């Protein structure tokens, strides 16, 4: 195997092992030794590639966010369908939510790579604002930003806080078809969020 391909392969193995470890234990509880063992390399390789456990944590989150954005695609005027896509993606793979919750607990101030991440969300807001145009009651980028934030919260809460979902819905969420019914309800609520007032009251 050429050296470049070997380096890329080793880095990918480390990131995959680290994603599982950080999602399960967070930054404080994760162990470099377990990551190295899972990846089949020495601990020294981790420091050689990433410099520190914290930088590895940042790299894992960055990769997960990029992967998530690619799978999700940009927001569109059909916010109901977009909410359904967010819900589906996190239900299939809850690792990203766990990583971001650990990130929120670990960092009190600025985040690693905060500027490009902020720029990515600004692009999402601009895309959403342009897509909605005059077909909804969203009239500014500020409103579009608030709508995007509310939409993400609506779609991810059942996965982020399964205990709250269980306490509120009881056994309904676990019943056959319960997940589909919850998704359908989230999609309907997302539609109402941007529907003109006359539609919302219909």
């Amino acid at each position: 195997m050429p050296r470049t391909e070997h380096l890329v392969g080793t880095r990918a193995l480390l990131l995959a092992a680290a994603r599982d470890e950080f999602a399960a234990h967070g930054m404080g509880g994760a162990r470099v030794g377990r990551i190295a063992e899972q990846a089949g390399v020495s601990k020294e390789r981790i420091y050689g590639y990433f410099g520190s456990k914290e930088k590895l944590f940042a790299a894992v989150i960055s990769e997960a966010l990029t992967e998530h954005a690619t799978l999700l695609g940009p927001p569109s005027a059909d916010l109901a369908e977009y909410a359904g896509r967010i819900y589906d993606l996190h239900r299939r793979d809850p690792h990203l939510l766990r990583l971001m919750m650990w990130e929120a607990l670990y960092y009190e101030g600025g985040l690693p790579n905060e500027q490009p991440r902020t720029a990515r969300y600004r692009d999402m807001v601009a895309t959403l604002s342009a897509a909605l145009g005059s077909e909804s009651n969203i009239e500014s980028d500020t409103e579009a930003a608030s709508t995007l934030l509310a939409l993400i919260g609506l779609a991810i809460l059942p996965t982020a806080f399964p205990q709250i979902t269980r306490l509120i819905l009881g056994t309904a969420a676990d019943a056959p078809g319960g997940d589909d019914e919850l998704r359908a309800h989230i999609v309907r609520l997302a539609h109402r969020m941007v529907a003109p007032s006359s539609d919302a009251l219909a």
Side-chain angles (χ1 to χ4, degrees), residues 34-89:
R34 287 198 297 256
I35 296 171
E37 182 178 0
Q38 180 66 26
V41 301
S42 66
K43 288 196 296 185
E44 288 70 23
R45 285 288 185 90
I46 292 177
Y47 296 110
Y49 277 98
F50 300 99
S52 68
K53 185 173 76 167
E54 185 169 348
K55 289 181 179 178
L56 174 59
F57 183 51
V60 164
I61 292 177
S62 178
E63 183 193 57
L65 286 170
T66 299
E67 180 182 303
H68 177 270
T70 300
L71 291 171
L72 183 62
S76 65
D78 188 350
L79 274 192
E81 174 56 29
Y82 191 64
R85 281 156 50 195
I86 295 173
Y87 179 83
D88 291 340
L89 190 55

Side-chain angles (χ1 to χ4, degrees), residues 95-107:
H95 272 51
L96 176 61
L97 278 179
R98 291 173 186 159
L99 287 168
M100 295 188 77
M101 291 168 78
W102 284 120
E103 180 187 52
L105 290 170
Y106 182 72
Y107 294 104

Side-chain angles (χ1 to χ4, degrees), residues 114-138:
E114 183 159 333
Q115 288 185 342
R117 287 171 65 176
T118 300
R120 177 182 292 173
Y121 279 114
R122 284 176 180 164
D123 288 343
M124 291 175 67
V125 169
T127 300
L128 178 60
S129 183
L132 292 173
S134 61
E135 297 180 1
S136 71
N137 57 3
I138 305 300

Side-chain angles (χ1 to χ4, degrees), residues 127-185:
T127 300
L128 178 60
S129 183
L132 292 173
S134 61
E135 297 180 1
S136 71
N137 57 3
I138 305 300
E139 298 178 352
S140 70
D141 281 0
T142 299
E143 288 180 289
S146 297
T147 299
L148 180 63
L149 181 63
L151 184 73
I152 292 172
L154 177 68
I156 70 173
L157 190 142
T159 304
F161 300 101
Q163 76 278 26
I164 295 177
T165 303
R166 178 179 56 80
L167 291 169
I168 293 175
L169 298 181
T171 58
D174 296 325
D179 197 57
D180 291 338
E181 290 182 12
L182 181 56
R183 183 194 190 278
H185 189 67

